[in-house]
mmCIF file of all heavy atoms in Angstrom:
data_model
loop_
_atom_site.group_PDB
_atom_site.id
_atom_site.type_symbol
_atom_site.label_atom_id
_atom_site.label_comp_id
_atom_site.label_asym_id
_atom_site.label_seq_id
_atom_site.Cartn_x
_atom_site.Cartn_y
_atom_site.Cartn_z
ATOM 1 N N LYS A 12 -26.331 -55.426 -42.600
ATOM 2 C CA LYS A 12 -24.911 -55.853 -42.503
ATOM 3 C C LYS A 12 -24.692 -56.490 -41.138
ATOM 4 O O LYS A 12 -24.042 -57.510 -41.007
ATOM 5 C CB LYS A 12 -23.954 -54.688 -42.725
ATOM 6 C CG LYS A 12 -22.532 -55.098 -42.831
ATOM 7 C CD LYS A 12 -22.274 -55.912 -44.066
ATOM 8 C CE LYS A 12 -20.789 -56.234 -44.196
ATOM 9 N NZ LYS A 12 -20.519 -57.258 -45.150
ATOM 10 N N ALA A 13 -25.265 -55.871 -40.081
ATOM 11 C CA ALA A 13 -25.147 -56.450 -38.746
ATOM 12 C C ALA A 13 -25.681 -57.819 -38.689
ATOM 13 O O ALA A 13 -25.134 -58.746 -38.122
ATOM 14 C CB ALA A 13 -25.793 -55.478 -37.725
ATOM 15 N N VAL A 14 -26.912 -58.032 -39.292
ATOM 16 C CA VAL A 14 -27.503 -59.354 -39.316
ATOM 17 C C VAL A 14 -26.599 -60.322 -40.027
ATOM 18 O O VAL A 14 -26.423 -61.512 -39.617
ATOM 19 C CB VAL A 14 -28.921 -59.341 -40.010
ATOM 20 C CG1 VAL A 14 -29.444 -60.721 -40.239
ATOM 21 C CG2 VAL A 14 -29.895 -58.561 -39.150
ATOM 22 N N GLU A 15 -25.987 -59.988 -41.175
ATOM 23 C CA GLU A 15 -25.108 -60.834 -41.869
ATOM 24 C C GLU A 15 -23.896 -61.246 -40.988
ATOM 25 O O GLU A 15 -23.531 -62.359 -41.010
ATOM 26 C CB GLU A 15 -24.669 -60.151 -43.140
ATOM 27 C CG GLU A 15 -25.736 -59.950 -44.183
ATOM 28 C CD GLU A 15 -25.372 -59.038 -45.338
ATOM 29 O OE1 GLU A 15 -24.262 -58.445 -45.343
ATOM 30 O OE2 GLU A 15 -26.154 -58.941 -46.227
ATOM 31 N N PHE A 16 -23.318 -60.328 -40.256
ATOM 32 C CA PHE A 16 -22.271 -60.690 -39.275
ATOM 33 C C PHE A 16 -22.761 -61.595 -38.274
ATOM 34 O O PHE A 16 -22.150 -62.618 -37.905
ATOM 35 C CB PHE A 16 -21.765 -59.400 -38.586
ATOM 36 C CG PHE A 16 -20.830 -58.641 -39.447
ATOM 37 C CD1 PHE A 16 -21.001 -57.245 -39.681
ATOM 38 C CD2 PHE A 16 -19.641 -59.192 -40.040
ATOM 39 C CE1 PHE A 16 -20.123 -56.528 -40.380
ATOM 40 C CE2 PHE A 16 -18.753 -58.415 -40.762
ATOM 41 C CZ PHE A 16 -19.007 -57.052 -40.949
ATOM 42 N N LEU A 17 -23.956 -61.357 -37.706
ATOM 43 C CA LEU A 17 -24.546 -62.256 -36.656
ATOM 44 C C LEU A 17 -24.752 -63.625 -37.166
ATOM 45 O O LEU A 17 -24.491 -64.580 -36.448
ATOM 46 C CB LEU A 17 -25.796 -61.667 -36.103
ATOM 47 C CG LEU A 17 -25.655 -60.326 -35.265
ATOM 48 C CD1 LEU A 17 -26.974 -59.799 -34.939
ATOM 49 C CD2 LEU A 17 -24.919 -60.673 -34.014
ATOM 50 N N GLU A 18 -25.238 -63.789 -38.396
ATOM 51 C CA GLU A 18 -25.465 -65.079 -38.979
ATOM 52 C C GLU A 18 -24.159 -65.895 -39.100
ATOM 53 O O GLU A 18 -24.179 -67.147 -39.153
ATOM 54 C CB GLU A 18 -26.154 -64.943 -40.306
ATOM 55 C CG GLU A 18 -27.551 -64.498 -40.204
ATOM 56 C CD GLU A 18 -28.252 -64.120 -41.477
ATOM 57 O OE1 GLU A 18 -27.530 -63.770 -42.508
ATOM 58 O OE2 GLU A 18 -29.493 -64.185 -41.593
ATOM 59 N N LYS A 19 -23.005 -65.205 -39.196
ATOM 60 C CA LYS A 19 -21.736 -65.813 -39.285
ATOM 61 C C LYS A 19 -21.109 -66.023 -37.858
ATOM 62 O O LYS A 19 -19.929 -66.553 -37.779
ATOM 63 C CB LYS A 19 -20.800 -65.031 -40.190
ATOM 64 C CG LYS A 19 -21.247 -64.984 -41.656
ATOM 65 C CD LYS A 19 -20.257 -64.347 -42.589
ATOM 66 C CE LYS A 19 -20.261 -62.855 -42.376
ATOM 67 N NZ LYS A 19 -19.414 -62.149 -43.368
ATOM 68 N N GLY A 20 -21.799 -65.519 -36.855
ATOM 69 C CA GLY A 20 -21.254 -65.684 -35.469
ATOM 70 C C GLY A 20 -20.271 -64.557 -35.160
ATOM 71 O O GLY A 20 -19.585 -64.652 -34.141
ATOM 72 N N GLU A 21 -20.195 -63.527 -36.009
ATOM 73 C CA GLU A 21 -19.241 -62.470 -35.778
ATOM 74 C C GLU A 21 -19.852 -61.335 -35.041
ATOM 75 O O GLU A 21 -20.299 -60.360 -35.667
ATOM 76 C CB GLU A 21 -18.630 -62.033 -37.163
ATOM 77 C CG GLU A 21 -17.885 -63.105 -37.921
ATOM 78 C CD GLU A 21 -17.503 -62.710 -39.274
ATOM 79 O OE1 GLU A 21 -17.526 -61.530 -39.675
ATOM 80 O OE2 GLU A 21 -16.994 -63.560 -39.967
ATOM 81 N N TRP A 22 -19.974 -61.470 -33.751
ATOM 82 C CA TRP A 22 -20.734 -60.496 -33.035
ATOM 83 C C TRP A 22 -20.068 -59.170 -32.812
ATOM 84 O O TRP A 22 -20.640 -58.126 -32.690
ATOM 85 C CB TRP A 22 -21.143 -61.078 -31.575
ATOM 86 C CG TRP A 22 -20.031 -61.460 -30.701
ATOM 87 C CD1 TRP A 22 -19.428 -62.605 -30.556
ATOM 88 C CD2 TRP A 22 -19.360 -60.553 -29.737
ATOM 89 N NE1 TRP A 22 -18.460 -62.538 -29.581
ATOM 90 C CE2 TRP A 22 -18.386 -61.330 -29.088
ATOM 91 C CE3 TRP A 22 -19.485 -59.250 -29.418
ATOM 92 C CZ2 TRP A 22 -17.513 -60.788 -28.152
ATOM 93 C CZ3 TRP A 22 -18.688 -58.660 -28.440
ATOM 94 C CH2 TRP A 22 -17.763 -59.452 -27.787
ATOM 95 N N GLN A 23 -18.720 -59.176 -32.772
ATOM 96 C CA GLN A 23 -17.934 -57.885 -32.557
ATOM 97 C C GLN A 23 -18.210 -56.830 -33.612
ATOM 98 O O GLN A 23 -18.612 -55.667 -33.232
ATOM 99 C CB GLN A 23 -16.403 -58.148 -32.478
ATOM 100 C CG GLN A 23 -15.947 -58.943 -31.289
ATOM 101 C CD GLN A 23 -15.798 -60.477 -31.647
ATOM 102 O OE1 GLN A 23 -16.415 -60.951 -32.609
ATOM 103 N NE2 GLN A 23 -15.016 -61.145 -30.842
ATOM 104 N N PRO A 24 -18.140 -57.135 -34.986
ATOM 105 C CA PRO A 24 -18.459 -56.088 -35.925
ATOM 106 C C PRO A 24 -19.990 -55.714 -35.900
ATOM 107 O O PRO A 24 -20.340 -54.605 -36.145
ATOM 108 C CB PRO A 24 -18.037 -56.657 -37.210
ATOM 109 C CG PRO A 24 -17.863 -58.122 -37.034
ATOM 110 C CD PRO A 24 -17.585 -58.288 -35.599
ATOM 111 N N ALA A 25 -20.833 -56.729 -35.627
ATOM 112 C CA ALA A 25 -22.228 -56.441 -35.456
ATOM 113 C C ALA A 25 -22.517 -55.462 -34.277
ATOM 114 O O ALA A 25 -23.315 -54.547 -34.372
ATOM 115 C CB ALA A 25 -23.060 -57.712 -35.305
ATOM 116 N N HIS A 26 -21.770 -55.651 -33.231
ATOM 117 C CA HIS A 26 -21.884 -54.790 -32.074
ATOM 118 C C HIS A 26 -21.474 -53.384 -32.409
ATOM 119 O O HIS A 26 -22.190 -52.400 -32.006
ATOM 120 C CB HIS A 26 -21.069 -55.342 -30.974
ATOM 121 C CG HIS A 26 -21.269 -54.645 -29.596
ATOM 122 N ND1 HIS A 26 -20.361 -53.821 -29.057
ATOM 123 C CD2 HIS A 26 -22.397 -54.712 -28.813
ATOM 124 C CE1 HIS A 26 -20.855 -53.406 -27.879
ATOM 125 N NE2 HIS A 26 -22.109 -53.875 -27.736
ATOM 126 N N GLU A 27 -20.495 -53.242 -33.176
ATOM 127 C CA GLU A 27 -20.022 -51.863 -33.577
ATOM 128 C C GLU A 27 -21.182 -51.201 -34.373
ATOM 129 O O GLU A 27 -21.383 -49.969 -34.163
ATOM 130 C CB GLU A 27 -18.812 -51.935 -34.458
ATOM 131 C CG GLU A 27 -17.528 -52.374 -33.711
ATOM 132 C CD GLU A 27 -17.125 -51.345 -32.696
ATOM 133 O OE1 GLU A 27 -17.111 -50.138 -33.002
ATOM 134 O OE2 GLU A 27 -16.658 -51.800 -31.541
ATOM 135 N N ILE A 28 -21.854 -51.909 -35.175
ATOM 136 C CA ILE A 28 -22.896 -51.322 -35.956
ATOM 137 C C ILE A 28 -24.152 -50.956 -35.025
ATOM 138 O O ILE A 28 -24.610 -49.828 -35.092
ATOM 139 C CB ILE A 28 -23.432 -52.274 -37.075
ATOM 140 C CG1 ILE A 28 -22.205 -52.483 -38.117
ATOM 141 C CG2 ILE A 28 -24.668 -51.777 -37.757
ATOM 142 C CD1 ILE A 28 -22.429 -53.554 -39.086
ATOM 143 N N VAL A 29 -24.660 -51.941 -34.335
ATOM 144 C CA VAL A 29 -25.881 -51.718 -33.611
ATOM 145 C C VAL A 29 -25.769 -50.743 -32.483
ATOM 146 O O VAL A 29 -26.833 -50.068 -32.121
ATOM 147 C CB VAL A 29 -26.537 -53.052 -33.103
ATOM 148 C CG1 VAL A 29 -26.824 -53.940 -34.314
ATOM 149 C CG2 VAL A 29 -25.659 -53.805 -32.094
ATOM 150 N N GLN A 30 -24.657 -50.597 -31.870
ATOM 151 C CA GLN A 30 -24.554 -49.716 -30.753
ATOM 152 C C GLN A 30 -24.665 -48.270 -31.192
ATOM 153 O O GLN A 30 -24.938 -47.373 -30.291
ATOM 154 C CB GLN A 30 -23.311 -49.948 -29.868
ATOM 155 C CG GLN A 30 -22.009 -49.663 -30.492
ATOM 156 C CD GLN A 30 -20.903 -50.083 -29.568
ATOM 157 O OE1 GLN A 30 -21.121 -50.509 -28.471
ATOM 158 N NE2 GLN A 30 -19.642 -49.911 -30.064
ATOM 159 N N GLY A 31 -24.492 -47.940 -32.410
ATOM 160 C CA GLY A 31 -24.703 -46.608 -32.926
ATOM 161 C C GLY A 31 -26.093 -46.316 -33.451
ATOM 162 O O GLY A 31 -26.352 -45.140 -33.835
ATOM 163 N N GLU A 32 -26.985 -47.274 -33.340
ATOM 164 C CA GLU A 32 -28.354 -47.107 -33.908
ATOM 165 C C GLU A 32 -29.294 -46.959 -32.698
ATOM 166 O O GLU A 32 -29.040 -47.480 -31.667
ATOM 167 C CB GLU A 32 -28.714 -48.302 -34.707
ATOM 168 C CG GLU A 32 -27.861 -48.534 -35.970
ATOM 169 C CD GLU A 32 -28.064 -47.465 -37.006
ATOM 170 O OE1 GLU A 32 -29.129 -46.869 -37.113
ATOM 171 O OE2 GLU A 32 -27.046 -47.208 -37.741
ATOM 172 N N LYS A 33 -30.456 -46.329 -32.950
ATOM 173 C CA LYS A 33 -31.412 -46.045 -31.822
ATOM 174 C C LYS A 33 -32.815 -46.730 -31.961
ATOM 175 O O LYS A 33 -33.562 -46.657 -31.058
ATOM 176 C CB LYS A 33 -31.661 -44.500 -31.808
ATOM 177 C CG LYS A 33 -30.367 -43.697 -31.620
ATOM 178 C CD LYS A 33 -29.677 -43.939 -30.302
ATOM 179 C CE LYS A 33 -28.472 -43.022 -30.194
ATOM 180 N NZ LYS A 33 -27.426 -43.703 -29.474
ATOM 181 N N SER A 34 -33.044 -47.418 -32.989
ATOM 182 C CA SER A 34 -34.318 -48.071 -33.162
ATOM 183 C C SER A 34 -34.590 -49.267 -32.351
ATOM 184 O O SER A 34 -33.602 -49.886 -31.832
ATOM 185 C CB SER A 34 -34.566 -48.468 -34.646
ATOM 186 O OG SER A 34 -33.664 -49.487 -35.009
ATOM 187 N N ASN A 35 -35.785 -49.703 -32.170
ATOM 188 C CA ASN A 35 -36.175 -50.931 -31.521
ATOM 189 C C ASN A 35 -35.541 -52.156 -32.258
ATOM 190 O O ASN A 35 -35.092 -53.086 -31.568
ATOM 191 C CB ASN A 35 -37.666 -51.093 -31.415
ATOM 192 C CG ASN A 35 -38.283 -50.334 -30.311
ATOM 193 O OD1 ASN A 35 -37.587 -49.633 -29.560
ATOM 194 N ND2 ASN A 35 -39.544 -50.466 -30.166
ATOM 195 N N LEU A 36 -35.460 -52.077 -33.570
ATOM 196 C CA LEU A 36 -34.910 -53.149 -34.243
ATOM 197 C C LEU A 36 -33.362 -53.309 -33.992
ATOM 198 O O LEU A 36 -32.833 -54.315 -33.693
ATOM 199 C CB LEU A 36 -35.117 -52.902 -35.840
ATOM 200 C CG LEU A 36 -34.533 -53.962 -36.764
ATOM 201 C CD1 LEU A 36 -34.940 -55.369 -36.400
ATOM 202 C CD2 LEU A 36 -34.857 -53.572 -38.201
ATOM 203 N N ALA A 37 -32.710 -52.140 -33.844
ATOM 204 C CA ALA A 37 -31.352 -52.115 -33.513
ATOM 205 C C ALA A 37 -31.160 -52.663 -32.076
ATOM 206 O O ALA A 37 -30.171 -53.397 -31.807
ATOM 207 C CB ALA A 37 -30.742 -50.735 -33.605
ATOM 208 N N ALA A 38 -32.014 -52.265 -31.166
ATOM 209 C CA ALA A 38 -31.944 -52.762 -29.780
ATOM 210 C C ALA A 38 -32.101 -54.270 -29.710
ATOM 211 O O ALA A 38 -31.341 -55.009 -28.936
ATOM 212 C CB ALA A 38 -32.992 -52.090 -28.921
ATOM 213 N N TRP A 39 -33.080 -54.779 -30.560
ATOM 214 C CA TRP A 39 -33.203 -56.258 -30.589
ATOM 215 C C TRP A 39 -31.954 -56.946 -31.129
ATOM 216 O O TRP A 39 -31.496 -57.931 -30.523
ATOM 217 C CB TRP A 39 -34.429 -56.560 -31.514
ATOM 218 C CG TRP A 39 -34.704 -58.007 -31.814
ATOM 219 C CD1 TRP A 39 -34.436 -59.056 -30.932
ATOM 220 C CD2 TRP A 39 -35.355 -58.530 -32.882
ATOM 221 N NE1 TRP A 39 -34.904 -60.217 -31.477
ATOM 222 C CE2 TRP A 39 -35.508 -59.929 -32.708
ATOM 223 C CE3 TRP A 39 -35.920 -58.016 -34.069
ATOM 224 C CZ2 TRP A 39 -36.123 -60.752 -33.634
ATOM 225 C CZ3 TRP A 39 -36.474 -58.853 -34.981
ATOM 226 C CH2 TRP A 39 -36.542 -60.197 -34.769
#
Side-chain angles (χ1 to χ4, degrees):
K12 187 67 177 169
V14 169
E15 291 168 356
F16 282 126
L17 291 170
E18 290 172 334
K19 295 186 282 185
E21 298 176 10
W22 64 266
Q23 295 96 334
H26 190 250
E27 290 294 319
I28 294 168
V29 300
Q30 67 185 357
E32 300 291 331
K33 304 293 183 218
S34 68
N35 280 359
L36 180 54
W39 178 26

